[in-house]
Amino acid sequence: MTRLIALPLLALTLLAGCTVPQTAAPVRSGGMAPVPVPYTSVGLERVIGQDAAGLTKLFGTPDADVREGTARKLQFQGSFCVLDAYLYPKDGVEPRVTYLDAREPDGSSIDRASCVAALTRRDGGR
């Protein structure tokens, strides 16, 4: 009778050793865990509040221009990052940048001010 109880307990013990605890953060290729990017407006003074003409003067021709109702998104791409500038009208004035989003070409997070700085250095906006 002891064998009948011991054998299933041994099997359960062996199976329990097959699980892997999921307590660690996922690791990106390159062996480093993703680091959260702080969200501040420091370094964005040249962009926040600009209209479409000001953005084009700063970054060159947008790589994408998407309109939805009165809102507009201009996208600028470089080898370092992709910047989405969201323009919204206020009080009947031409739409201006109120929000920015930045990411690396692979989609991972990047500091928005670093992306703005990199894109202003693009040759001819490309």
Side-chain angles (χ1 to χ4, degrees):
M1 184 71 160
T2 307
R3 280 186 160 181
L4 290 174
I5 295 173
L7 189 57
L9 287 176
L10 179 62
L12 286 174
T13 304
L14 291 174
L15 286 174
C18 294
T19 64
V20 177
Q22 297 294 322
T23 57
V27 177
R28 292 188 338 182
S29 62
M32 296 179 60
V35 177
V37 176
Y39 192 82
T40 69
S41 61
V42 175
L44 304 177
E45 298 84 6
R46 295 185 291 175
V47 181
I48 299 292
Q50 287 285 342
D51 60 10
L55 291 177
T56 302
K57 185 176 180 182
L58 185 61
F59 299 125
T61 304
D63 295 289
D65 186 347
V66 180
R67 296 171 192 257
E68 186 172 321
T70 58
R72 186 175 182 186
K73 177 182 87 169
L74 296 178
Q75 185 176 85
F76 301 92
Q77 297 178 1
S79 58
F80 183 70
C81 64
V82 178
L83 182 75
D84 293 325
Y86 296 89
L87 298 88
Y88 296 97
K90 184 176 179 184
D91 301 326
V93 178
E94 183 175 357
R96 298 200 174 265
V97 176
T98 59
Y99 179 76
L100 292 170
D101 190 26
R103 62 192 171 282
E104 292 181 42
D106 69 1
S108 54
S109 296
I110 189 171
D111 175 65
R112 297 176 305 157
S114 298
C115 185
V116 167
L119 290 173
T120 56
R121 294 184 190 102
R122 293 192 307 178
D123 184 22
R126 295 267 174 227

